[in-house]
Amino acid sequence: MTEPSPPAMPRRQLGRTGIEVSVLGLGTVKLGRNQGVKYPQGFAIPDDDAVRELLACAADLGINLIDTAPAYGSSEERLGQLLPGPRERWVLCTKVGEEFAAGKSHHDFSPAAVRESVERSLRRLRTDWLDLVLVHSDGNDLDLIAHSGALETLAELKRAGKLRAFGMSTKTLAGGLRAAECCDLLMVTWNLADESQLPVIDRCHQLGTGVLIKKALASGHAAAGGDPVRAAFTRLLGHPGVASLVVGTIDQEHLRANVATARDCIRGDPSTPRSS
Ligand code: NAP
């Protein structure tokens, strides 16, 4: 007797972008970088077979959103090589403005650097288009929005068909509130130990700006005791402005458990009409 296939992963609209994302996305820092990261334990970067299996598992579970960045070491290149096709089944999110080399971050948000970065991401990810591109903020959100020209350059690249939607991964409350007004989507930190950006998420919801959550499990520091993953997913996915939690993992068992928990947490939720 064959195993019944798992029910489809619920999806939500990403603001007004017209793009549907699985309520759980896969964060891929750990596919390409293990230096200068804030996880509780050190780890080895997984080999190609392990990454292939992890991505196949994500596909089987119905995850369509993959988050990467030039600052995540070899993550983009490895996804370009190892992500199973077809391209249309994935929503690829990458970033501009930060590079990580020789153990250090470097930032360049100039229009020329943004254009070069997007072209390089297209090559590395082996695709003709990027779905989502975010300014990878260094913390100076307001200054970047007002003076760098990065968002305007992403808007031009969107008009040129290189990407479908753009925004910013913000770090500050004031910057997030401003970015909510001029972006298609934001990536915002929210977890049970840090609710400081909640007003940004509320504002995005009012405006129809899409929201992806980073660090939903406090980068693996989510408090022990009880079921911290369930507690976090229930609270975060309960917000109608949140489209997806981008959770990082290189452990297939964690991925499967997280998907099961996310599905459980939103059962019967009217904001996820495609939930099974
Ligand atoms: P996170 O998703 O809060 O936590 C990831 C950590 O939690 C990993 O070390 C993972 O370890 C662990 N984990 C996952 N599921 C688990 C489970 N069921 N039980 C126990 N541990 C579990 O933090 P993050 O990786 O920092 O952020 C997520 C993603 O957001 C990143 O990968 C990246 O794509 C994005 N991000 C963006 C920015 C930005 O500035 N734009 C900054 C940070 C992150 P295992 O590998 O062992 O599962």
Side-chain angles (χ1 to χ4, degrees), residues 259-270:
V259 166
T261 303
R263 293 187 65 255
D264 248 25
C265 290
I266 58 176
R267 193 160 285 160
D269 177 348

Side-chain angles (χ1 to χ4, degrees), residues 205-249:
H205 183 46
Q206 275 174 354
L207 294 169
T209 304
V211 175
L212 304 178
I213 300 297
K214 60 185 170 184
K215 304 185 189 179
L217 301 178
S219 298
H221 298 272
D227 185 343
V229 176
R230 183 171 297 269
F233 286 8
T234 302
R235 172 130 175 88
L236 277 48
L237 288 172
H239 194 300
V242 169
S244 182
L245 313 181
V246 176
V247 173
T249 184

Side-chain angles (χ1 to χ4, degrees), residues 26-30 39-40 67-68 72 95 98 134-137 169-171 187 189 191 213-221 229 246-251 253-255 257-258:
L26 181 63
T28 65
V29 176
K30 291 174 98 175
Y39 298 109
D67 180 62
T68 182
Y72 301 167
K95 312 192 185 72
E98 182 180 345
L134 305 174
V135 174
H136 208 160
S137 175
S169 178
T170 55
K171 292 199 174 175
M187 177 175 269
T189 296
N191 57 61
I213 300 297
K214 60 185 170 184
K215 304 185 189 179
L217 301 178
S219 298
H221 298 272
V229 176
V246 176
V247 173
T249 184
I250 49 173
D251 181 325
E253 291 315 307
H254 286 167
L255 186 62
N258 292 348

